[in-house]
Amino acid sequence: MIGGLFIYNHKGEVLISRVYRDDIGRNAVDAFRVNVIHARQQVRSPVTNIARTSFFHVKRSNIWLAVVTKQNVNAAMVFEFLYKMCDVMASYFGKISEENIKNNFVLIYELLDEILDFGYPQNSETGSLKTFITQQGIKGQHQTKEEQSQITSQVTGQIGWRREGIKYRRNELFLDVLESVNLLMSPQGQVLSAHVSGRVVMKSYLSGMPECKFGMNDKIIIDKAGKGGVTNEAGKSTSGKQSIAIDDCTFNQCVRLSKFDSERSISFIPPDGEYELMRYRTTKDIILPFRVIPLVREVGRTKLEVKVVIKSNFKPSLLAQKIEVRIPTPLNTSGVQVICMKGKAKYKASENAIVWKIKRMAGMKESQISAEIELLPTNDKKKWARPPISMNFEVPFAPSGLKVRYLKVFESKLNYSDHDVIKWVRYIGRSGIYETRC
Amino acid sequence: MPAVSKGDGMRGLAVFISDIRNCKSKEAEIKRINKELANIRSKFKGDKALDGYSKKKYVCKLLFIFLLGHDIDFGHMEAVNLLSSNKYTEKQIGYLFISVLVNSNSELIRLINNAIKNDLSSRNPTFMCLALHCIANVGSREMAEAFAGEIPRILVAGDTMDSVKQSAALCLLRLYKASPDLVLMGEWTSRVVHLLNDQHMGVVTAAISLITCLSSKNPDEFKTCVSLAVSRLSRIVSSASTDLQDYTYYFVPAPWLSCKLLRLLQCYPPPEDGAVKGRLVECLETILNKAQEPPKSKKVQHSNAKNAILFEAISLIIHYDSEPNLLVRACNQLGQFLQHRETNLRYLALESMCTLASSEFSHEAVKTHIETVINALKTERDVSVRQRAADLLYAMCDRSNAKQIVAEMLSYLETADYSIREEMVLKVAILAEKYAVDYSWYVDTILNLIRIAGDYVSEEVWYRVIQIVINRDDVQGYAAKTVFEALQAPACHENMVKVGGYILGEFGNLIAGDPRSSPLVQFNLLHSKFHLCSVPTRALLLSAYIKFINLFPETKATIQEVLRSDSQIRNSDVELQQRAVEYLKLSSIASTDVLATVLEEMPPFPERESSILAKLKKKKGPGAVSVELEDGKERGELNGGGDRGGDAAIAASNASTPSPSADLLGLRSAAPVSGTAPSAGSLLVDVFSEAGPAASSAGVNDDGFLSSAPPSAASEDPAPPLPESDELLNKFVCKNNGVLFENQLLQIGIKSEYRQNLGRMYLFYGNKTSVQFVSFSTIVSCPGELQSQLNVQTKTVEPLVEGGAQVQQVINIECLTDFIDAPLLNIKFRYGGALQNISLKLPVTINKFFQPTEMAAADFFQRWKQLSQPQQEAQKIFKASHGMDTEVLKAKLLGLGTALLENVDPNPENYVCAGVIQTKAQQVGCLLRLEPNAQAQMYRLTLRSSKDTVSQRVCDLLAEQF
């Protein structure tokens, strides 16, 4: 179980130190600083073992969050907890920065007391936490006994993530499908590896205790529906070619897993506010939004010619944004001349790369950059390793092909129906590690 | 070297460094460095030539980046260019970059060497110094090759500046250390020595380092330096503190130079020239006198400098070891330091005193400080100083103060640091033994030692105690009593139990008269410790118990009960089980007389050098003061190791008059069972053979026990071989084990194994009758030319073979070259008065030395064709005498020793084999092909080998088999 949690700034100074168990001494704080933060070689492993004590850390901008334990804990649980902890803090005071942490000192200790008990993670749902841990000071006087007992029953009850009696004038629902597409392509255009990791993030403002049902074009669900023969016509028309194969997925705690296991239907009572409904990964039939065609020619020992063409590969009506192509240059580059038709390109010496930025680009278009790189002859015989060309972008569709088929809301007690709920759906596809070898 | 002057500061560099220092993260730092590197690259790439200043600046930046831990792979050329600059700062940076970054195999080394050569030949002293520093800093072999001839010239040239001379001397020293074979002084030797006379003290200091190093390698060439050094030293020592101006350090004239001079003198024996010697002694006396003077300054630097010279002088006095007066004075001086406030001084004083103690002149003087040293051992805070104090105590110990010192060391041991305990224990043990006048004191001391620091008492120490107790009659009774008392402590160390078990087992009878230590009490006391001990100790205790049975017959029943208990006789440890079984049988079967012989008191040990001392030497290394032990004895492997220790003890007791030089365990292999012993010996065998498999595996198979009788000379000639012996021989061509011969009286079993050209054969002679065979003897002979072809060695067998018993004989065979005949085995014995004489052929045939060879079909046929000469092939066509069963054939061919090659012959019916016959002289490759014809019941056997006789012989042998 978790023995303690420390938060450090970039210098390794301790901002927050909360110890849950006696087996963790004060020296653990220093051990992590010396061996990880100030380590001579950058520590890449998120788990470090020092003197039979395990440290699990994540880094958010310049802030280190480290969990320490002497026991054999489930590492996945610890990291899940750390991410949750980051989410909670972000929802309370925004960005996790040194200044914010110092300003919310008391709040963080209060949160830590609540979400971890003797090293065991407890309720970490922001929505319900906010009902009793507030930034506005103690509301004790205004809280009636009833309300207090309600908190207890809610926190300990079956649906810990939603309190009863929520009312909105407008019942609204926002649904975002956020995907990041990862690719490694050979210079000849052969896909070496590609996958999409996606998240479905929801923001719900619904009254009462509504029951929601979420449907998407998952192959298994659609095949099942097709076989059962009890599906509407719209479902039939989409089944077959447009369904996608999801490799693995995880759900928010509110989703009824038993129902998913038996009927493959995602039904849940949503928490109030923003939350992540599910995460998934696909590896088949990915729509690659961009194709990068590199051409590198070495002219003698002191010159290198690079030509890179990018092609957008989606509907012409859609617009990709924030496109950035990064072309690595050799370590002995002494001068660079760049010509590009579109966007802006610049040689960034500090990063050893040419960075080419394009603000917007429509589908089925093509653009090109060419660069001449001058090299300084060195006495080192080492050959340039030719790192891959990487790319960043944002597109308004889901590269995995995922489509939201329906999101139904049932609230039997209150008198609003599915039709009365205003629903918004948005797809965003971003680049993860999107690289082409040259 | 002057630092970069203010006006010459490089702003760009300063800005860059401050940028780096202000970086918040590693990533930011790397970004900044990448940016700077790109900038420098573009600058160096630029067509227009850079001026010296910016070149220097960028080279500096590169150097800084390199020192931050990044790779630099350019800029070397620019740095080399800087070398040719006329400005000091630019040259300096160039040299700095080169000595840090350029590796010796760089292609630039020629350019660099050229620049250095230019600088060396320039008349500018600063440039020369820079070049010399660069050579010394790089110090590679290439540098040495290029400049080893040049530098001595600069060093001794008359017009060279002093500062350059200094640099040259140190540079030469460095080159000499790096590649001594390249620096040849030769003609320069005398002129280098004369540098000791140089006006400039700096030059002398630098030169003396070089001379010390050179003269330690070839002292004869530099012998002349002694007198020069002495005169130099006397000039410094006698000078007033103001004479040497720059070289006076806190009122001490030239301390470094003095120390170096003294150290140089330590490379040589005392000067033979009386005048020089007198002058040197005078110097040393002056140094000792000065130490007595009140300090001229309270500063620590003053006393440090003074003491440094003093200690160096004392080392020299000790090194000479010929001036009693000086030695005693040095000792007294050190005695003062023993109580000094400064810990370092105390340490040094103790260390120097250790060496003084071993000198005959000062030993007595050192002894006067015993109280101080003991006090240091007790009160010193620093463990390393305590260690030195212990060393000194050990070194100053002699007969007069041994008791006091040993007592002090023992009392210190209780609180001693863990790291030095084992060493202390060894030292106490050695001192106690070496200076023991009264052996009861010795026994007390060692037992105390075991009590206080049992864990650190090594095997050697307690072996030694027992050895001494056994060898000294006068102390045995006392030892038994003391041990008995020590064992009564509720918790005692295992080593104590070992000593106790051994001594009580041997000499328990000496204290048995006292009702408080009656036999049963002794036994119960020992047995109460039994279950807490490790296996080797338990084994030792079991031996002690059986000795008790001999000493005190009244304990027999109790002890037998213990031995019979399941925890002993069925112990999971083989050694304990075996001992329990053997001792139980021994005690129940043998008569008291036999027991008394078998379990007699241990004979005195041969006198040898103490193994403890050897251990201490090994542990301590050079720091140990080795003192010869006049009465050293080797404890040896008595009871050691646990494997058969008990057997060894018993075997030793068997021999009533052991030769004094015989190794204890050696008795097992040599076993001189003489005089009355044979009856005891045969009884032992009897006992063992009845005691079941456990005993027989250990006792009877141990050839040492059985091979004691010399072969009785045969009166008759060996009988001619039996007619059927050839047939017997054929039986063993394809197998190694079986019954060789059998008649109404005798059965001979055989078991043999071969490896390469060596073989070992075990012959088992079984007496089938109930009457014993007398004067049983066997002879293996090699008739005719076989003698030169085969080397056969036999061990003799027991002359008596009891009825129904079996004896074993081992025969070692070495094949020198290929052979045809088989050696003869002749057996003679008397059965009921009638002489029996049997001759047999030993089944040793050439094919026994086959090594199987695996090869592919193509390989096989290639070799087959190579052996195509007619005399290399032997072929036989014969009728099958047995059935043509495939499996039987295969087994026989494999038994032959060759490799049976599958899928080689195109006809699957045929068999193909390959092997190499290993003889000492040569290796003979052999290929075989056997073609059976099932219809005709015929075989065709073809053999090809590189030697015709081999082919023929193997073919003949094999033809009989099918």
Side-chain angles (χ1 to χ4, degrees):
Chain A
M1 290 309 105
I2 291 170
L5 187 140
F6 307 128
I7 301 179
Y8 301 86
N9 67 5
H10 73 279
K11 288 182 200 153
E13 291 163 344
V14 189
L15 304 176
I16 300 283
S17 155
R18 180 74 173 87
V19 175
Y20 292 94
R21 290 184 171 236
D22 292 338
D23 55 357
I24 303 300
R26 298 289 305 171
N27 50 356
V29 185
D30 301 325
F32 181 78
R33 175 179 44 236
V34 171
N35 290 295
V36 180
I37 301 179
H38 290 164
R40 212 166 276 176
Q41 298 230 303
Q42 198 187 353
V43 176
R44 291 185 150 193
S45 160
V47 184
T48 317
N49 266 305
I50 306 160
R52 289 206 219 135
T53 311
S54 309
F55 293 85
F56 307 76
H57 75 263
V58 295
K59 213 181 160 193
R60 285 284 178 272
S61 64
N62 272 334
I63 298 297
W64 301 72
L65 288 98
V67 157
V68 52
T69 178
K70 285 220 169 185
Q71 274 153 316
N72 186 14
V73 296
N74 181 348
M77 184 275 280
V78 172
F79 284 110
E80 188 61 36
F81 168 77
L82 276 172
Y83 294 141
K84 209 79 201 178
M85 168 89 194
C86 292
D87 289 348
V88 170
M89 288 202 292
S91 78
Y92 266 95
F93 51 75
K95 196 175 163 252
I96 299 177
S97 66
E98 187 176 349
E99 203 190 345
N100 275 344
I101 285 176
K102 280 180 176 165
N103 290 340
N104 293 283
F105 193 72
V106 178
L107 172 74
I108 293 173
Y109 274 110
E110 220 175 317
L111 283 172
L112 283 174
D113 279 343
E114 198 54 51
I115 60 179
L116 266 183
D117 195 1
F118 196 46
Y120 293 94
Q122 307 291 317
N123 187 6
S124 57
E125 205 51 50
T126 323
S128 61
L129 278 174
K130 276 187 175 163
T131 59
F132 52 90
I133 298 177
T134 57
Q135 283 166 290
Q136 280 79 44
I138 308 160
K139 290 204 292 186
Q141 282 88 340
H142 309 290
Q143 257 176 340
T144 57
K145 265 212 171 132
E146 217 171 288
E147 276 175 322
Q148 277 174 353
S149 65
Q150 222 176 16
I151 290 171
T152 321
S153 69
Q154 185 221 321
V155 169
T156 53
Q158 215 179 1
I159 304 163
W161 55 88
R162 188 179 178 93
R163 66 188 169 89
E164 292 200 37
I166 300 171
K167 278 205 175 74
Y168 288 104
R169 244 182 49 205
R170 264 155 65 103
N171 288 311
E172 260 184 316
L173 203 69
F174 299 86
L175 193 147
D176 287 351
V177 177
L178 305 173
E179 293 193 340
S180 80
V181 54
N182 299 281
L183 167 79
L184 182 64
M185 195 178 248
S186 78
Q188 288 77 33
Q190 194 184 355
V191 175
L192 300 172
S193 83
H195 75 270
V196 171
S197 57
R199 309 189 299 145
V200 179
V201 175
M202 290 182 78
K203 221 185 256 181
S204 58
Y205 303 106
L206 300 171
S207 313
M209 294 292 262
E211 172 92 24
C212 299
K213 210 173 166 191
F214 174 66
M216 57 185 180
N217 58 342
D218 178 9
K219 203 172 191 173
I220 298 171
I221 297 173
I222 286 168
D223 287 0
K224 201 168 179 174
K227 258 182 222 158
V230 277
T231 177
N232 55 11
E233 279 169 31
K236 250 180 195 162
S237 68
T238 53
S239 74
K241 50 185 170 182
Q242 280 195 8
S243 59
I244 60 159
I246 287 175
D247 285 11
D248 43 49
C249 53
T250 56
F251 292 103
N252 187 294
Q253 60 166 333
C254 62
V255 175
R256 293 200 180 91
L257 291 178
S258 55
K259 236 177 182 172
F260 180 75
D261 287 340
S262 58
E263 298 167 25
R264 295 290 285 195
S265 76
I266 303 165
S267 68
F268 56 97
I269 296 172
D272 199 33
E274 191 176 341
Y275 57 96
E276 181 185 293
L277 182 67
M278 70 178 288
R279 264 185 241 177
Y280 58 91
R281 205 168 62 90
T282 70
T283 49
K284 285 200 192 84
D285 302 325
I286 294 165
I287 307 158
L288 296 171
F290 284 96
R291 168 89 206 277
V292 178
I293 304 158
L295 202 79
V296 179
R297 208 156 64 90
E298 284 178 49
V299 189
R301 274 190 73 196
T302 58
K303 208 168 166 189
L304 201 66
E305 281 179 6
V306 181
K307 202 164 111 183
V308 177
V309 180
I310 58 167
K311 284 183 182 169
S312 55
N313 182 29
F314 44 89
K315 268 188 255 167
S317 57
L318 298 174
L319 270 181
Q321 281 182 307
K322 298 178 191 167
I323 300 151
E324 185 185 289
V325 182
R326 181 176 291 264
I327 306 161
T329 55
L331 289 177
N332 54 345
T333 305
S334 62
V336 178
Q337 274 95 48
V338 205
I339 307 163
C340 59
M341 301 186 297
K342 214 175 167 197
K344 280 178 188 165
K346 207 177 164 190
Y347 167 58
K348 287 205 171 166
S350 60
E351 289 154 41
N352 280 324
I354 298 168
V355 180
W356 177 26
K357 284 184 182 166
I358 304 169
K359 276 196 183 136
R360 255 176 240 101
M361 189 164 171
M364 305 316 269
K365 287 264 167 58
E366 185 176 316
S367 190
Q368 178 183 318
I369 183 173
S370 56
E372 263 183 34
I373 301 172
E374 278 179 80
L375 303 175
L376 189 76
T378 62
N379 42 9
D380 240 2
K381 300 288 177 289
K382 261 186 281 170
K383 214 168 175 296
W384 181 44
R386 291 203 185 193
I389 294 170
S390 59
M391 202 177 164
N392 288 319
F393 54 80
E394 205 178 290
V395 287
F397 62 92
S400 69
L402 181 126
K403 291 261 162 39
V404 176
R405 285 171 58 217
Y406 55 84
L407 180 63
K408 294 173 191 157
V409 180
F410 309 98
E411 170 52 90
S412 46
K413 283 181 192 154
L414 298 172
N415 54 350
Y416 71 92
S417 70
D418 187 30
H419 303 290
D420 301 331
V421 180
I422 306 159
K423 299 172 194 165
W424 306 84
V425 179
R426 178 165 68 158
Y427 297 94
I428 300 174
R430 293 201 181 94
S431 58
I433 296 166
Y434 200 88
E435 292 180 331
T436 308
R437 290 187 179 158
C438 60
Chain B
M1 256 194 285
V4 181
S5 62
K6 248 186 185 166
D8 210 17
M10 292 169 279
R11 222 182 99 74
L13 179 67
V15 168
F16 173 60
I17 292 175
S18 75
D19 276 2
I20 295 273
R21 297 218 168 125
N22 288 335
C23 281
K24 284 223 167 138
S25 66
K26 197 141 198 156
E27 294 76 36
E29 185 183 308
I30 289 170
K31 274 188 175 176
R32 180 71 184 87
I33 285 168
N34 279 338
K35 196 176 153 197
E36 192 60 43
L37 281 176
N39 175 34
I40 298 172
R41 278 196 299 262
S42 67
K43 286 286 195 294
F44 282 172
K45 175 80 180 179
D47 297 330
K48 57 178 190 297
L50 289 170
D51 58 348
Y53 167 78
S54 32
K55 225 185 255 176
K56 178 181 79 174
K57 186 175 76 187
Y58 294 130
V59 167
C60 254
K61 281 182 180 174
L62 285 180
L63 197 55
F64 184 77
I65 292 170
F66 176 77
L67 294 178
L68 282 177
H70 298 264
D71 274 344
I72 296 295
D73 50 7
F74 65 99
H76 299 73
M77 199 58 220
E78 281 72 18
V80 173
N81 285 343
L82 280 178
L83 294 186
S84 54
S85 158
N86 272 327
K87 276 195 187 138
Y88 172 77
T89 49
E90 286 165 23
K91 217 185 239 308
Q92 184 204 20
I93 296 296
Y95 274 123
L96 187 61
F97 185 89
I98 280 159
S99 45
V100 172
L101 259 153
V102 174
N103 49 1
S104 51
N105 53 12
S106 159
E107 53 211 38
L108 290 171
I109 206 84
R110 218 144 32 91
L111 285 172
I112 296 167
N113 280 358
N114 206 22
I116 291 177
K117 213 162 259 172
N118 284 339
D119 278 341
L120 283 183
S121 56
S122 79
R123 300 278 85 192
N124 186 334
T126 45
F127 290 178
M128 287 173 90
C129 279
L130 277 179
L132 287 167
H133 294 166
C134 179
I135 296 170
N137 277 331
V138 176
S140 66
R141 222 180 146 70
E142 287 74 18
M143 287 275 184
E145 271 166 11
F147 301 108
E150 178 89 353
I151 297 169
R153 198 185 50 71
I154 297 172
L155 178 60
V156 299
D159 55 348
T160 316
M161 296 271 290
D162 288 334
S163 60
V164 180
K165 271 190 191 169
Q166 263 172 285
S167 298
L170 293 176
C171 178
L172 198 60
L173 175 63
R174 160 85 174 129
L175 290 186
Y176 182 75
K177 279 181 179 164
S179 31
D181 53 318
L182 291 177
V183 180
L184 301 168
M185 292 313 288
E187 56 202 295
W188 309 111
T189 308
S190 67
R191 296 179 70 180
V192 169
V193 170
H194 274 91
L195 285 176
L196 288 178
N197 271 337
D198 200 285
Q199 292 288 315
H200 193 265
M201 296 289 265
V203 175
V204 183
T205 315
I208 201 161
S209 299
L210 176 65
I211 293 168
T212 310
C213 182
L214 289 170
S215 64
S216 63
K217 288 275 158 56
N218 34 2
D220 288 342
E221 279 183 44
F222 288 87
K223 226 175 191 163
T224 45
C225 71
V226 174
S227 60
L228 289 177
V230 170
S231 64
R232 186 47 121 175
L233 182 66
S234 82
R235 256 181 288 158
I236 296 171
V237 168
S238 58
S239 70
S241 56
T242 48
D243 285 359
L244 294 166
Q245 288 186 352
D246 282 354
Y247 288 85
T248 302
Y249 176 80
Y250 288 89
F251 306 106
V252 182
W256 280 276
L257 183 54
S258 312
C259 283
K260 282 184 173 175
L261 284 165
L262 287 164
R263 209 167 283 170
L264 173 64
L265 289 173
Q266 282 174 48
C267 299
Y268 290 95
E272 284 141 21
D273 185 353
V276 176
K277 193 172 182 184
R279 210 166 166 196
L280 179 58
V281 169
E282 204 176 294
C283 282
L284 293 172
E285 273 172 350
T286 321
I287 293 171
L288 287 174
N289 287 339
K290 275 193 180 169
Q292 294 295 333
E293 287 170 13
K296 289 187 180 118
S297 157
K298 284 215 174 100
K299 288 263 170 58
V300 69
Q301 289 95 329
H302 171 69
S303 58
N304 273 352
K306 222 165 81 171
N307 291 335
I309 300 174
L310 180 65
F311 274 107
E312 218 43 76
I314 290 175
S315 311
L316 184 63
I317 293 168
I318 295 169
H319 171 74
Y320 285 165
D321 197 13
S322 59
E323 301 286 331
N325 177 29
L326 284 176
L327 281 166
V328 171
R329 281 194 65 186
C331 185
N332 293 337
Q333 185 60 49
L334 291 178
Q336 288 179 11
F337 284 148
L338 282 183
Q339 280 152 319
H340 204 276
R341 266 187 315 124
E342 196 53 34
T343 313
N344 290 335
L345 267 185
R346 290 200 299 271
Y347 180 93
L348 288 169
L350 286 169
E351 197 181 29
S352 305
M353 267 212 181
C354 260
T355 39
L356 273 177
S358 54
S359 163
E360 50 176 323
F361 301 112
S362 53
H363 187 75
E364 286 304 315
V366 171
K367 266 165 65 182
T368 55
H369 300 289
I370 183 164
E371 291 301 333
T372 327
V373 180
I374 288 172
N375 203 31
L377 189 64
K378 280 180 187 158
T379 57
E380 194 62 61
R381 272 220 215 108
D382 190 324
V383 63
S384 59
V385 181
R386 286 203 299 271
Q387 163 103 53
R388 289 287 146 253
D391 284 349
L392 180 54
L393 276 184
Y394 177 73
M396 68 163 64
C397 187
D398 64 10
R399 215 168 276 280
S400 63
N401 55 11
K403 277 199 177 173
Q404 186 193 2
I405 287 180
V406 168
E408 288 298 341
M409 283 172 101
L410 265 182
S411 67
Y412 170 61
L413 199 55
E414 285 184 72
T415 54
D417 201 81
Y418 293 104
S419 54
I420 63 169
R421 276 200 185 176
E422 192 181 352
E423 199 190 313
M424 290 284 291
V425 165
L426 284 175
K427 282 181 169 165
V428 169
I430 289 168
L431 291 178
E433 182 190 333
K434 191 173 156 194
Y435 300 114
V437 199
D438 168 9
Y439 276 89
S440 55
W441 172 73
Y442 170 73
V443 171
D444 279 343
T445 306
I446 299 292
L447 290 183
N448 250 335
L449 192 64
I450 295 176
R451 193 175 49 77
I452 292 169
D455 285 338
Y456 299 92
V457 172
S458 55
E459 298 278 285
E460 284 86 353
V461 173
W462 76 262
Y463 286 171
R464 193 85 187 121
V465 180
I466 284 172
Q467 210 171 30
I468 286 173
V469 169
I470 284 178
N471 287 9
R472 298 245 156 209
D473 299 341
D474 47 338
V475 79
Q476 288 164 355
Y478 179 77
K481 188 164 150 277
T482 331
V483 164
F484 179 76
E485 279 162 8
L487 280 178
Q488 271 166 337
C492 56
H493 195 267
E494 197 166 335
N495 278 337
M496 184 68 95
V497 178
K498 285 181 187 165
V499 176
Y502 202 99
I503 290 183
L504 290 182
E506 293 291 329
F507 310 114
N509 54 339
L510 299 177
I511 55 165
D514 191 328
R516 281 170 300 171
S517 54
S518 70
L520 218 52
V521 175
Q522 285 185 34
F523 172 74
N524 285 336
L525 182 61
L526 275 184
H527 200 59
S528 67
K529 313 283 183 201
F530 185 89
H531 298 283
L532 306 170
C533 296
S534 63
V535 169
T537 313
R538 288 190 196 188
L540 189 146
L541 284 179
L542 286 180
S543 294
Y545 294 171
I546 188 76
K547 291 239 166 186
F548 266 46
I549 291 184
N550 177 39
L551 290 178
F552 319 115
E554 67 263 35
T555 60
K556 186 170 175 176
T558 323
I559 292 174
Q560 278 184 339
E561 193 57 41
V562 168
L563 289 177
R564 204 176 288 126
S565 73
D566 277 357
S567 61
Q568 310 300 350
I569 211 155
R570 298 204 180 146
N571 196 299
S572 60
D573 188 87
V574 178
E575 176 65 27
L576 290 182
Q577 192 187 66
Q578 187 182 338
R579 283 192 189 210
V581 168
E582 286 177 7
Y583 292 160
L584 189 58
K585 276 283 171 194
L586 186 65
S587 64
S588 49
I589 288 174
S591 68
T592 26
D593 290 351
V594 173
L595 263 186
T597 325
V598 173
L599 302 170
E600 205 181 344
E601 197 175 290
M602 291 296 286
F605 286 91
E607 311 251 319
R608 278 187 228 154
E609 203 213 335
S610 169
S611 56
I612 313 180
L613 205 60
K615 181 155 178 162
L616 180 67
K617 279 182 199 158
K618 199 171 73 189
K619 202 172 153 49
K620 263 308 280 279
V625 184
S626 58
V627 188
E628 289 300 312
L629 269 188
E630 53 267 52
D631 54 351
K633 296 152 227 163
E634 170 77 1
R635 178 54 187 69
E637 305 102 319
L638 176 88
N639 250 317
D643 71 320
R644 305 272 187 79
D647 297 343
I650 292 173
S653 343
N654 278 343
S656 48
T657 52
S659 65
S661 64
D663 187 5
L664 260 181
L665 288 180
L667 283 171
R668 280 168 64 232
S669 49
V673 186
S674 56
T676 58
S679 62
S682 60
L683 171 113
L684 260 182
V685 175
D686 251 355
V687 167
F688 289 149
S689 58
E690 281 174 36
S696 67
S697 69
V700 175
N701 287 350
D702 195 331
D703 37 89
F705 265 120
L706 304 168
S707 61
S708 55
S712 57
S715 50
E716 279 88 1
D717 292 327
L722 291 179
E724 69 269 28
S725 60
D726 266 327
E727 203 176 297
L728 292 173
L729 190 65
N730 284 333
K731 226 171 77 181
F732 281 92
V733 168
C734 292
K735 61 178 185 176
N736 285 335
N737 307 330
V739 175
L740 178 65
F741 172 81
E742 187 163 18
N743 62 11
Q744 292 89 344
L745 306 175
L746 183 72
Q747 184 190 40
I748 306 177
I750 193 165
K751 204 176 149 187
S752 48
E753 47 193 6
Y754 293 89
R755 180 169 299 154
Q756 297 190 330
N757 68 328
L758 300 175
R760 177 171 290 175
M761 191 176 273
Y762 299 91
L763 291 173
F764 299 92
Y765 305 102
N767 185 346
K768 286 171 74 179
T769 67
S770 53
V771 186
Q772 66 177 17
F773 293 159
V774 196
S775 47
F776 186 89
S777 74
T778 64
I779 297 169
V780 177
S781 59
C782 299
E785 59 179 9
L786 192 59
Q787 205 137 25
S788 59
Q789 292 164 341
L790 215 58
N791 190 356
V792 183
Q793 287 173 335
T794 53
K795 290 190 177 158
T796 51
V797 288
E798 279 264 7
L800 282 178
V801 182
E802 293 292 334
Q806 194 182 55
V807 295
Q808 181 196 359
Q809 185 179 26
V810 184
I811 302 177
N812 287 319
I813 303 154
E814 185 187 12
C815 177
L816 301 173
T817 177
D818 61 304
F819 60 93
I820 292 169
D821 279 331
L824 292 177
L825 171 69
N826 181 253
I827 306 150
K828 282 189 213 139
F829 58 92
R830 284 180 187 278
Y831 169 67
L835 181 79
Q836 305 287 327
N837 193 344
I838 303 166
S839 278
L840 295 167
K841 280 192 175 176
L842 270 185
V844 180
T845 48
I846 183 71
N847 66 297
K848 298 290 181 193
F849 301 97
F850 257 130
Q851 282 286 97
T853 322
E854 293 289 352
M855 54 177 81
D859 237 334
F860 180 86
F861 284 109
Q862 191 195 347
R863 288 178 199 215
W864 184 262
K865 281 188 194 107
Q866 278 169 0
L867 300 169
S868 55
Q869 288 171 36
Q871 69 268 27
Q872 286 177 332
E873 186 184 275
Q875 195 170 61
K876 261 195 181 179
I877 300 167
F878 52 90
K879 207 162 175 69
S881 45
H882 309 284
M884 282 181 140
D885 187 78
T886 325
E887 288 314 309
V888 174
L889 278 176
K890 275 188 182 169
K892 280 191 173 171
L893 285 169
L894 280 175
L896 187 70
T898 52
L900 185 60
L901 304 176
E902 308 274 4
N903 305 328
V904 168
D905 203 285
N907 183 354
E909 296 292 314
N910 293 350
Y911 299 93
V912 163
C913 302
V916 176
I917 290 177
Q918 306 266 354
T919 71
K920 197 184 178 190
Q922 62 186 136
Q923 300 187 344
V924 184
C926 227
L927 303 175
L928 179 155
R929 198 166 181 199
L930 182 68
E931 295 156 277
N933 183 341
Q935 277 109 35
Q937 288 288 308
M938 297 283 276
Y939 287 105
R940 184 166 71 180
L941 175 67
T942 317
L943 251 138
R944 285 186 177 184
S945 77
S946 49
K947 205 159 177 187
D948 45 355
T949 49
V950 172
S951 311
Q952 199 55 51
R953 177 65 182 153
V954 177
C955 190
D956 289 344
L957 280 173
L958 210 55
E960 303 295 324
Q961 299 299 317
F962 300 105

